Amino acid sequence: MNKNIIIAGVGGQGILTIATILDLAAMNAGLNIKQAEVHGMSQRGGAVQTHLRISDSEIHSDLIPLGQADLILSVEPLEALRYIPYLKPEGAIVTSDEPFKNIGNYPDENAVFEEIKKTTKDVIFVDAKKIANQLGNPKSSNIVMLGAAAQFIGINNSDFEWAIGKLFGAKGEDVVNLNVKAFYATKE
């Protein structure tokens, strides 16, 4: 098993939380991981991205070469578009359909969606904000996105549940349960 995943978005959207859950789930499954992240601009709403490599064998580099990503998991559609050169031809894109318009010249969102659709046959747009709000947990839209992307990762859902419990356990059982519910929200 080898998976190369790029997680992308804008500062404050929970990119590093997604990466932490993926790391914990992979380690719980007995897999190797390497991760590289850029988050220096996150305090100002800047681009945040993580290269995450998961394998059942040794991993030598934490950076994903162009054309080698199996999955782009993006919580902002324009950020998904930014990383398309990294995607394998048979790779998948799971992205939020909610733009984060933090720039004055944000492109037409329908044009962004159409460009994303052209890249690969496996493209999933998720209304994560709406789903998280319906669950009564608006902060969990990033976990909704992770749940939607899990089908392309190759890690058992039970490992993800364990990782969510490990990460959020100190905040109490209710917070853990809300996030587990968010993880499964797109699977129902």
Side-chain angles (χ1 to χ4, degrees):
M1 186 257 216
N2 291 301
K3 290 291 178 180
N4 292 321
I5 303 166
I6 292 181
I7 309 166
V10 174
Q13 292 187 304
I15 304 308
L16 300 179
T17 299
I18 293 171
T20 300
I21 292 169
L22 268 164
D23 291 346
L24 290 169
M27 286 188 292
N28 196 57
L31 299 168
N32 298 303
I33 59 165
K34 290 260 185 181
Q35 177 178 324
E37 58 197 41
V38 174
H39 56 90
M41 297 296 293
S42 63
Q43 293 178 342
R44 290 184 261 148
V48 178
Q49 54 94 8
T50 297
H51 285 225
L52 183 61
R53 305 185 84 185
I54 303 170
S55 180
D56 54 7
S57 58
E58 187 176 2
I59 303 168
H60 298 285
S61 173
D62 53 359
L63 296 177
I64 300 168
L66 290 173
Q68 295 301 307
D70 298 291
L71 172 65
I72 296 172
L73 168 53
S74 179
V75 295
E76 203 291 321
L78 191 57
E79 292 301 318
L81 200 56
R82 179 190 309 253
Y83 294 100
I84 285 175
Y86 286 90
L87 192 65
K88 287 179 177 178
E90 67 278 8
I93 298 173
V94 178
T95 185
S96 172
D97 66 0
E98 173 90 16
F100 186 92
K101 296 183 179 180
N102 61 343
I103 55 174
N105 59 346
Y106 195 98
D108 175 70
E109 57 192 75
N110 289 323
V112 171
F113 298 154
E114 289 305 314
E115 283 302 311
I116 292 169
K117 288 177 190 175
K118 290 179 189 177
T119 62
T120 185
K121 67 178 180 70
D122 287 321
V123 177
I124 298 175
F125 292 95
V126 181
D127 192 344
K129 183 178 178 181
K130 178 181 176 185
I131 294 168
N133 284 330
Q134 288 172 341
L135 294 171
N137 189 14
K139 292 182 178 181
S140 69
S141 61
N142 59 334
I143 309 302
V144 171
M145 293 302 303
L146 176 59
Q151 64 184 306
F152 300 108
I153 298 172
I155 295 175
N156 291 326
N157 288 339
S158 60
D159 291 312
F160 282 113
E161 285 183 41
W162 178 87
I164 290 167
K166 187 78 168 163
L167 183 63
F168 294 112
K171 294 183 178 187
E173 190 176 329
D174 287 345
V175 173
V176 171
N177 291 337
L178 281 171
N179 282 285
V180 168
K181 196 174 194 180
F183 177 80
Y184 285 109
T186 61
K187 301 174 188 321
E188 297 171 351

